[in-house]
Amino acid sequence: MKQILLLLFCFSIIKAHATTNVSGIISTNTTWTKANSPYIVDGDLSVDSNVTLVIQPGVTVLVDSGKFFYVDGKLIAEGNTTDSIYFLAHKINDPLYYAQWRGITLRLKGIHDTSSFKYCRFEYALYAIYSEGPSLNVSQSVFKHNSVAVETHVFAPAVDCYFNINNCLVTENGKGLYNFSRYATGALTNCIISDNIVGCEDESYKGLTVQNNEFNYNETGLSLSDYEQSPDVRWNTFKGNSYAGLTFRNSPTNISGFSRTKNAPISNNLFIYNTRGLQIWDLDLCTISGNTIAYNDIGIDRNSGASNTPSYPDSLVITNNCLTNNLSYNFKENYTADFTLKYNWWGTTSIPGIDSSIYDYYDNFSSGKITYMPILTSDTGCQLVTPPPLCAQLDSVVAKATSPTTATVNWPAVPGALGYEYYVELIQSTPPTKGTVTTSNILSLTGLVPGSTYKICARTKCAAAPFIYTWVCDTIQVPTAINTVDIESPVTIYPNPSNGSFTIDLPTKEVANIVVTGLDGRVVYNDTKEGSNKISVRMIDHVAGIYLVHITQGQNIYRTRITIEE
């Protein structure tokens, strides 16, 4: 799977031969060619019923903001390993804002069509693909920086309506896949789903097949709620998700004539380095077995719902799992009903050791009692898991202007870090909750507005809790001319460390503006001095720590730092 996905990053640079503007109704079978690419959708566009639009490998499709791209017939967009097909916003106004164009909407209009996307790339859409009924095949494709990558919302009966998403990379979206369908069956297989807010959310009547995927470093990897048929979740990896690897909530039976009869298997999955490996609610007709659940904060977090009491012996079965080395608890019972966990491996055969890893009635009288005997007595069948590497907070971010529109940013590399997140915004803006993911500690920024002041913040991404540390920031004033860029600081600050009072030696006696900020970008001192090349600074109500000192003197900007001690 990983070899196939690597190809998705190797998109060829497309050299445009022509520009073709399209809008209105496509009423006859049509092919968009590489020779006439890029195609710019500058007005609402619809592929009519009984009509097929074929998009050739190497085509770029650019859609204006606010324009609709409907498919009432069939869309075949199949690239290859050397020529992918791009679906992008015509203009990216803000690289940190997802919904730059609406995406493609597939509508069911009297005939059952199947649209296909292969070796495609979707970026900055509200809903990259939104299906209201037609069957859908998506493979070897990349979805990045979309509000929702793929949403299926099928509530009209359709014969053999289905969707398959296979071998795709779904990364840095608000939500990856959202399936809210009454009639469609779906499968999500062999995908890497990483760094989204929610990797996949399923609220379907038919249940979803989820097999051989990697749900890595999302807030929630997979969220399930089902009505009639239950999902099939096997052979997946859930790694480093900051809220939970998998959350599963049954909805009540007999809703709108539906009655659940199928037992949901959650088996042979790997849950590691998550805040919660599994969080389960109201579960019945579910068997959780053969999973390795290790090095999470909480292995299984069970909340209100059905129990496996004698009245409902097969309602929820949790057996033959490896529940080991979870930091707080291997199993946490938050519901009042007693519960039985038989034949699981707890990393030890010591009764006191197992008791200490289970949160139940004996820790909180409002929780049910957990019975876990008999137990497995060895780790046979467990997947091999190593402890996650240690990871630390960033201690500084340093930004320097290199021209009126560009800047460089760097921070010290953190040993053991999975990567970093960063964002760039005007100083008065509100920080986002999630930034852009990178593995580098050096950035080159372009497209900055001359004369504007920006805040650049970064934070460490780790493989284990805390998965993301707090933002550490620097501020930068972009110059209006090339000769006002940041230069190596010739200033001297003493004493350094200081108790809050210190002196700055400047190269000239020109008027100097002194701004001191914390590592979070907060201004703690701002004053203008003139007539001296020795400036005295006294910070009142300071807190011990490292501060950044920004000095503007004439057309030069100097930057250094001061350590304040109590």
Side-chain angles (χ1 to χ4, degrees):
M1 176 176 68
K2 292 182 179 177
Q3 290 177 336
I4 293 174
L5 287 168
L6 285 174
L7 295 174
L8 302 179
F9 292 102
C10 301
F11 294 105
S12 58
I13 302 299
I14 298 174
K15 192 171 185 178
H17 299 278
T19 298
T20 305
N21 291 70
V22 290
S23 61
I25 299 174
I26 299 176
S27 57
T28 60
N29 293 341
T30 301
T31 299
W32 289 357
T33 65
K34 182 177 179 180
N36 291 319
S37 176
Y39 287 80
I40 299 175
V41 181
D42 57 0
D44 292 344
L45 178 71
S46 176
V47 179
D48 207 354
S49 300
N50 301 306
V51 172
T52 298
L53 171 62
V54 175
I55 302 178
Q56 290 185 342
V59 169
T60 295
V61 180
L62 304 174
V63 184
D64 278 354
S65 174
K67 304 306 178 184
F68 289 95
F69 190 154
Y70 291 122
V71 179
D72 297 332
K74 182 162 57 177
L75 176 56
I76 306 298
E78 295 186 351
N80 53 49
T81 56
T82 57
D83 269 334
S84 294
I85 298 171
Y86 290 77
F87 294 92
L88 308 169
H90 188 197
K91 296 179 181 179
I92 301 297
N93 298 316
D94 182 351
L96 294 180
Y97 178 62
Y98 289 160
Q100 305 282 321
W101 62 293
R102 289 182 178 272
I104 297 173
T105 299
L106 309 176
R107 303 189 294 190
L108 188 65
K109 289 293 186 77
I111 187 171
H112 183 68
D113 286 315
T114 299
S115 291
S116 178
F117 299 87
K118 188 174 184 179
Y119 288 103
C120 295
R121 186 178 184 108
F122 293 83
E123 293 189 9
Y124 292 105
L126 178 61
Y127 301 93
I129 300 175
Y130 186 94
S131 176
E132 296 178 349
S135 292
L136 173 65
N137 288 317
V138 185
S139 62
Q140 279 85 23
S141 294
V142 173
F143 296 86
K144 188 173 184 179
H145 294 151
N146 304 286
S147 180
V148 179
V150 180
E151 178 164 337
T152 56
H153 207 99
V154 184
F155 272 74
V159 178
D160 297 326
C161 181
Y162 69 89
F163 65 90
N164 290 324
I165 301 174
N166 179 57
N167 259 314
C168 290
L169 173 64
V170 183
T171 185
E172 295 184 59
N173 304 281
K175 188 177 293 184
L177 170 66
Y178 180 40
N179 179 33
F180 187 51
S181 300
R182 183 164 183 170
Y183 294 96
T185 58
L188 178 68
T189 56
N190 301 299
C191 293
I192 293 178
I193 302 169
S194 69
D195 297 293
N196 308 283
I197 295 175
V198 178
C200 173
E201 183 174 0
D202 178 54
E203 294 184 280
S204 65
Y205 286 69
K206 293 295 185 181
L208 183 68
T209 297
V210 184
Q211 295 180 359
N212 293 300
N213 302 285
E214 295 183 21
F215 295 90
N216 299 337
Y217 306 107
N218 309 280
E219 288 187 14
T220 298
L222 174 62
S223 176
L224 301 172
S225 299
D226 73 290
Y227 290 88
E228 182 189 24
Q229 296 182 20
S230 297
D232 185 339
V233 182
R234 289 184 282 184
W235 308 301
N236 303 282
T237 295
F238 298 87
K239 181 178 180 181
N241 297 284
S242 59
Y243 179 76
L246 167 62
T247 65
F248 191 5
R249 179 193 297 270
N250 276 149
S251 296
T253 56
N254 299 314
I255 292 181
S256 301
F258 287 91
S259 178
R260 188 185 307 107
T261 59
K262 178 185 174 184
N263 187 291
I266 300 177
S267 62
N268 300 104
N269 301 287
L270 176 64
F271 297 87
I272 55 172
Y273 312 159
N274 307 284
T275 298
R276 300 167 182 85
L278 292 86
Q279 184 183 52
I280 54 179
W281 300 75
D282 304 320
L283 273 191
D284 60 7
L285 288 178
C286 180
T287 298
I288 300 173
S289 66
N291 302 285
T292 296
I293 307 167
Y295 293 107
N296 306 281
D297 185 38
I298 298 173
I300 297 179
D301 188 11
R302 195 182 93 99
N303 296 276
S304 62
S307 64
N308 58 358
T309 59
S311 300
Y312 302 95
D314 299 319
S315 177
L316 172 61
V317 177
I318 302 176
T319 188
N320 286 291
N321 299 285
C322 301
L323 286 151
T324 65
N325 296 298
N326 294 290
L327 184 61
S328 293
Y329 299 101
N330 287 329
F331 187 92
K332 185 177 182 183
E333 177 58 71
N334 299 299
Y335 187 45
T336 57
D338 295 344
F339 194 75
T340 299
L341 298 169
K342 293 182 178 180
Y343 298 108
N344 293 285
W345 170 243
W346 301 91
T348 180
T349 57
S350 165
I351 299 303
I354 297 174
D355 284 343
S356 67
S357 74
I358 295 175
Y359 178 96
D360 65 352
Y361 171 84
Y362 300 101
D363 302 281
N364 184 338
F365 292 161
S366 64
S367 297
K369 295 179 181 179
I370 299 300
T371 301
Y372 54 81
M373 296 296 289
I375 63 171
L376 297 180
T377 57
S378 72
D379 61 358
T380 302
C382 299
Q383 298 187 48
L384 179 63
V385 180
T386 58
L390 298 176
C391 182
Q393 164 84 338
L394 294 179
D395 61 8
S396 64
V397 170
V398 177
K400 291 186 177 183
T402 52
S403 83
T405 59
T406 62
T408 61
V409 185
N410 65 82
W411 52 83
V414 175
L418 168 75
Y420 311 93
E421 285 187 5
Y422 73 91
Y423 70 88
V424 181
E425 63 181 10
L426 294 173
I427 191 68
Q428 69 270 17
S429 301
T430 301
T433 58
K434 188 174 180 65
T436 301
V437 177
T438 180
T439 56
S440 175
N441 63 318
I442 301 173
L443 304 176
S444 294
L445 305 180
T446 60
L448 304 180
V449 178
S452 296
T453 301
Y454 289 88
K455 180 165 65 173
I456 301 97
C457 300
R459 60 185 179 184
T460 315
K461 286 173 60 67
C462 301
F467 297 97
I468 297 177
Y469 281 94
T470 56
W471 294 110
V472 177
C473 304
D474 193 10
T475 57
I476 185 172
Q477 183 175 7
V478 182
T480 56
I482 192 66
N483 65 337
T484 62
V485 302
D486 284 8
I487 62 175
E488 291 299 322
S489 176
V491 304
T492 302
I493 292 184
Y494 58 90
N496 192 2
S498 163
N499 63 1
S501 297
F502 55 90
T503 299
I504 305 174
D505 275 0
L506 298 171
T508 71
K509 294 184 179 181
E510 291 181 89
V511 174
N513 177 242
I514 313 296
V515 177
V516 182
T517 67
L519 293 181
D520 60 357
R522 179 176 57 90
V523 175
V524 297
Y525 180 91
N526 188 347
D527 197 8
T528 299
K529 306 282 188 176
E530 58 182 325
S532 175
N533 60 350
K534 289 186 180 293
I535 304 297
S536 296
V537 174
R538 183 169 179 266
M539 292 171 54
I540 301 175
D541 297 328
H542 64 272
V543 177
I546 298 174
Y547 293 82
L548 304 177
V549 183
H550 313 255
I551 304 158
T552 303
Q553 191 173 42
Q555 293 199 357
N556 292 324
I557 302 172
Y558 308 116
R559 310 163 68 77
T560 185
R561 66 183 61 196
I562 180 76
T563 299
I564 303 298
E565 297 179 338
E566 293 292 352

